[in-house]
Amino acid sequence: MDFRLCGMTLRDFKNSPVNFGSINQDYKFMINNNNQNNNAETADTKDKGAGHPHGMPGVMPDASILGSMAGTAGKKNELRLVFWELTARCNLKCIHCRAEAQEERQKDELSTEECFAVIDNLCSFSNPILILTGGEPLYRQDIFEIASYASNKGLRVALATNGTLIDKETAIRIKECGIKRVAISLDGSNAQTHDSFRMIPGSFDAAFDGIKNLQNEGMEVQVNTTIAKHNQDEVKDILKLVLENNLKALHIFMLVPVGCGVQIADTQMLDKQKYEDILSWFYDKTMEFKDKLELKATCAPHYFRIMHKRAKDEGISISPKTHGMAAVTRGCLAGSSVMFISRKGDVQPCGYLPALAGNVLKESAKKIWESSEVFANLRDLSLLKGKCGICEYKKVCEGCRARAYYETGDYLAEEPYCIYEPSLIQNK
């Protein structure tokens, strides 16, 4: 049933006995490339990931986690973030959705027990932040069981959601099951922009209702925003909105053309100069509000080149005190600190890079993390090609491997949306 075709608003959807209402009644969160990758097995194009942003938002650790991560920053290729697409089901129809969201449960979704087994294996060799995402993860009736199991195992758990399903009871359950932070997607500073991107009228107001319900329970809430042409002129207003509502963090995501995002790439992708302008502005705001708001650029590795160059030019020494978490991380973390697990157990470097590294139903997450050829390639910066391969900032940036893959079919190719010319080229 396509709610775009039947003319239902979000209010209708929430009041429907077979949709939001019944769901709410049933169950109410890095640090630290050979042509062989061109032959790497890729995930099925219908399962390139899920939701957004793209179902894979970044979740900033809290202050206590920042301290522990900074203390272990020297550990090479330590698994720090696991983004887990628990389902492709979703109530919205976002035009950029990585997951190409669906309305019915897919029979190949991992079962509750299989999810528990994956958590056990992750805990056997790592202590990552676990971000539960989708689709819309609250569509899974066992979402609180899974979150509680992971939390009880000592993992730091976060939830990435569109926020529209979070009523007062759901907010209580989110807190009680051990989730530490909730990331909610807002893709405009107003209902008109957001709802047109999310394809369901009323989704902006419903998301804010969810935010307020979480805040009333004392939960940390961050906003994830996908930046594209539809909202490029609203970024300042989105920041203002986040500040006015006392939210914990704002993460901006530069659009990656995967899933439904491929269909809008030609009309929605920003050009190189606009990327540079927005990221430079975002750096200024990050420094301005560093003591008040967590700001992070995701799927935008060139932000770290901007940060390091600006800091050098301004004589600032980069540290957690001056630059927060950005001081102990770098640009593209796919396969070196980040792992993505799909709803059917496929493992990828990130949710936007459909290079299959393995499947947790066939081999352990530990074995995949330690022996996957895809991950090994991504960890070897000497394999980077084009201007990324000779760039003096490649160790802090690396370029977006997913955008390189989209443009060329080679995840080791140069970042196609970076305007910077390395010094080796400039000096020729």
Side-chain angles (χ1 to χ4, degrees):
M1 185 177 186
D2 192 329
F3 292 97
R4 292 172 293 177
L5 300 180
C6 69
M8 293 183 75
T9 66
L10 191 64
R11 182 184 300 277
D12 297 327
F13 192 24
K14 294 184 75 170
N15 292 334
S16 170
V18 295
N19 294 308
F20 278 12
S22 60
I23 292 169
N24 284 337
Q25 185 174 353
D26 291 337
Y27 66 96
K28 295 253 190 225
F29 221 108
M30 352 189 167
I31 301 180
N32 327 20
N33 302 301
N34 230 318
N35 290 324
Q36 289 178 330
N37 69 285
N38 285 320
N39 298 318
E41 183 179 5
T42 58
D44 187 288
T45 56
K46 294 181 69 176
D47 293 308
K48 286 185 176 179
H52 175 36
H54 343 28
M56 202 191 90
V59 179
M60 183 70 77
D62 61 26
S64 62
I65 297 174
L66 172 60
S68 65
M69 291 183 73
T72 59
K75 295 184 178 180
K76 189 175 182 180
N77 302 325
E78 181 179 10
L79 181 58
R80 298 180 177 279
L81 291 168
V82 175
F83 295 91
W84 196 350
E85 172 202 76
L86 291 175
T87 183
R89 286 174 290 167
C90 189
N91 55 300
L92 303 186
K93 295 290 182 181
C94 310
I95 64 174
H96 66 316
C97 180
R98 170 189 64 76
E100 299 175 298
Q102 303 165 37
E103 294 156 9
E104 302 297 329
R105 183 188 185 278
Q106 303 301 295
K107 59 184 179 181
D108 55 5
E109 284 184 5
L110 297 183
S111 68
T112 306
E113 292 304 320
E114 288 170 333
C115 288
F116 290 170
V118 171
I119 292 169
D120 288 340
N121 186 248
L122 288 172
C123 291
S124 73
F125 74 100
S126 62
N127 184 31
I129 296 167
L130 182 64
I131 300 97
L132 304 179
T133 180
E136 173 48 61
L138 290 173
Y139 255 63
R140 282 195 64 135
Q141 296 190 18
D142 59 356
I143 179 64
F144 301 115
E145 286 184 74
I146 295 169
S148 293
Y149 189 86
S151 180
N152 290 334
K153 285 285 184 175
L155 296 182
R156 295 150 292 181
V157 184
L159 181 71
T161 169
N162 61 47
T164 61
L165 291 172
I166 304 177
D167 57 17
K168 293 179 180 180
E169 183 179 347
T170 304
I172 292 172
R173 296 197 66 183
I174 288 172
K175 181 178 181 178
E176 289 178 344
C177 74
I179 290 172
K180 300 303 182 184
R181 179 178 289 193
V182 179
I184 291 180
S185 299
L186 289 179
D187 291 312
S189 63
N190 55 71
Q192 181 178 357
T193 304
H194 177 88
D195 291 0
S196 64
F197 205 62
R198 295 278 158 177
M199 297 295 288
I200 296 290
S203 56
F204 181 85
D205 292 337
F208 253 97
D209 287 343
I211 288 172
K212 295 305 180 183
N213 287 328
L214 289 165
Q215 288 181 316
N216 288 338
E217 295 303 320
M219 290 291 300
E220 287 190 358
V221 183
Q222 80 174 46
V223 162
N224 293 332
T225 298
T226 300
I227 305 299
K229 287 184 178 180
H230 79 286
N231 64 0
Q232 60 181 337
D233 296 325
E234 295 184 23
V235 181
K236 295 179 182 179
D237 291 331
I238 292 170
L239 173 59
K240 181 180 178 181
L241 190 67
V242 169
L243 288 166
E244 289 176 344
N245 285 275
N246 298 313
L247 296 169
K248 184 69 175 179
L250 170 62
H251 290 198
I252 62 169
F253 289 71
M254 310 313 281
L255 181 65
V256 180
V258 295
C260 294
V262 172
Q263 302 170 26
I264 64 170
D266 291 342
T267 59
Q268 285 291 327
M269 293 290 287
L270 304 181
D271 61 37
K272 295 179 182 181
Q273 186 61 59
K274 193 63 177 181
Y275 268 107
E276 193 81 359
D277 293 344
I278 289 177
L279 292 176
S280 295
W281 170 84
F282 197 71
Y283 175 76
D284 290 335
K285 295 305 172 182
T286 299
M287 298 302 289
E288 179 181 349
F289 295 110
K290 62 183 179 182
D291 296 324
K292 186 174 182 179
L293 179 69
E294 294 172 2
L295 295 170
K296 184 177 184 296
T298 301
C299 300
H302 19 327
Y303 172 85
F304 289 85
R305 181 251 307 160
I306 292 171
M307 180 185 81
H308 280 266
K309 187 176 187 304
R310 289 277 301 273
K312 181 180 179 180
D313 292 345
E314 296 166 11
I316 301 173
S317 179
I318 295 176
S319 70
K321 183 177 181 179
T322 59
H323 290 77
M325 177 56 67
V328 293
T329 186
R330 59 181 175 84
C332 185
L333 300 172
S336 60
S337 295
V338 169
M339 173 193 288
F340 170 85
I341 305 175
S342 80
R343 65 180 184 273
K344 59 183 182 181
D346 286 341
V347 176
Q348 302 171 197
C350 78
Y352 314 115
L353 177 52
L356 188 62
N359 185 288
V360 294
L361 296 180
K362 299 177 181 179
E363 53 189 334
S364 70
K366 181 179 187 295
K367 182 178 179 181
I368 296 171
W369 183 252
E370 295 176 349
S371 61
S372 163
E373 180 181 358
V374 173
F375 288 167
N377 287 339
L378 289 167
R379 295 165 186 169
D380 187 351
L381 300 187
S382 71
L383 297 180
L384 290 177
K385 302 172 185 176
K387 67 180 185 180
C388 284
I390 62 172
C391 185
E392 62 270 31
Y393 291 102
K394 70 179 180 180
K395 290 185 178 180
V396 296
C397 172
E398 194 175 338
C400 177
R401 299 300 95 218
R403 276 193 287 269
Y405 183 83
Y406 164 73
E407 290 283 347
T408 69
D410 182 353
Y411 57 72
L412 299 177
E414 68 180 48
E415 156 72 63
Y417 290 91
C418 178
I419 200 170
Y420 183 73
E421 292 293 315
S423 58
L424 285 177
I425 297 178
Q426 295 181 34
N427 296 331
K428 280 188 177 182

